[in-house]
């Protein structure tokens, strides 16, 4: 438990945990009198870095909260520049722009070609939000995937140009894998 000396008005609470072994966390409560503010409608949290299974030391292709917006676009398989998964399920990534900004184009850079079992995503959907609660679907990003015969590994940009720019703070992309490994190296958001 941590008790502040006097009440504080804030939108975000950042918890930093450091340990010498396993860290197990089951609940976070942010109390105002008898009300747990963390359970109010619309409240959510972000965890960085993501937890990993015990058999992944170091974690394979894990999201570090920076990698997808560091400006480095991988044009081939590069473990230090990508986030990847092989579980066959859709993963979503949310970019917080920090304030309301005009957005006109979103590009999600992935890896494809089939080499090492890495295939371009089946679909990449893009959404925007001013508040992080209400989301507007903008559509599916398109890409020229090319051959996925396993002979190469190439960068594949999925791009969505909006018909009209939108003013948002948050951009979310949902990546649906096709088969094998799905790998994403960068999310670009431009006016």
């Amino acid at each position: 438990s941590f008790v502040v000396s006097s009440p504080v008005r804030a939108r975000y609470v950042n918890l930093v945990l450091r340990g010498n072994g396993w860290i197990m966390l089951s609940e976070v409560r942010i109390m105002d009198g008898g009300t747990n503010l963390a359970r109010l409608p619309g409240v959510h949290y972000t965890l960085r870095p993501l937890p990993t299974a015990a058999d992944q030391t170091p974690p394979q292709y894990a999201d570090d909260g920076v990698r997808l917006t560091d400006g480095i676009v991988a044009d081939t398989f590069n473990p230090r520049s990508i986030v990847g998964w092989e579980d066959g399920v859709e993963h979503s990534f949310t970019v917080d722009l920090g304030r309301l900004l005009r957005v006109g184009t979103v590009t999600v850079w992935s890896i494809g070609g089939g080499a090492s079992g890495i295939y371009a995503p089946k679909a990449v959907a893009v959404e925007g939000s001013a508040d992080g609660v209400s989301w507007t679907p903008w559509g599916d990003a398109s890409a020229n995937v090319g051959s996925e015969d396993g002979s190469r590994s190439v960068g594949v940009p999925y791009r969505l140009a909006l018909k009209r720019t939108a003013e948002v703070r948050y951009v979310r992309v949902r990546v649906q894998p096709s088969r094998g490994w799905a790998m994403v190296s960068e999310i670009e958001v431009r006016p």
Side-chain angles (χ1 to χ4, degrees):
S1 292
F2 176 81
V3 179
V4 294
S5 56
S6 60
V8 177
R9 185 172 177 84
R11 178 173 176 179
Y12 301 97
V13 175
N14 191 24
L15 303 172
V16 179
L17 305 173
R18 292 185 182 97
N20 293 323
W22 287 98
I23 295 177
M24 301 291 186
L25 189 64
S26 68
E27 181 76 12
V28 173
R29 294 181 181 159
I30 302 169
M31 303 301 291
D32 180 12
T35 303
N36 181 1
L37 301 176
R39 293 198 34 98
L40 294 177
V43 174
H44 63 280
Y45 68 91
T46 304
L47 178 62
R48 296 287 183 255
L50 297 175
T52 57
D55 61 351
Q56 292 186 345
T57 307
Q60 287 187 313
Y61 322 119
D63 182 7
D64 62 1
V66 177
R67 186 169 290 151
L68 295 180
T69 57
D70 62 5
I72 300 171
V73 174
D75 58 1
T76 188
F77 176 70
N78 180 347
R80 294 183 183 154
S81 302
I82 56 174
V83 172
W85 63 98
E86 191 185 24
D87 59 11
V89 299
E90 178 181 279
H91 284 230
S92 68
F93 303 92
T94 303
V95 177
D96 182 348
L97 301 173
R99 59 189 167 96
L100 289 173
L101 293 173
R102 288 244 166 245
V103 173
T105 305
V106 177
T107 304
V108 178
W109 289 89
S110 70
I111 304 294
S116 302
I118 303 169
Y119 295 91
K122 180 191 314 182
V124 175
V126 185
E127 304 166 316
S129 174
D131 58 10
V133 177
S134 299
W135 292 90
T136 300
W138 287 344
D140 291 330
S142 61
N144 182 5
V145 174
S147 173
E148 298 240 279
D149 61 7
S151 65
R152 62 196 176 109
S153 180
V154 296
V156 180
Y158 283 76
R159 187 165 288 122
L160 176 68
L162 301 176
K163 292 177 183 169
R164 289 185 328 167
T165 61
E167 190 172 73
V168 297
R169 175 173 175 168
Y170 303 94
V171 174
R172 181 166 63 193
V173 298
R174 293 182 293 115
V175 179
Q176 178 67 49
S178 58
R179 57 186 166 148
W181 284 93
M183 298 284 182
V184 177
S185 73
E186 189 73 7
I187 299 172
E188 293 177 347
V189 180
R190 298 187 182 272

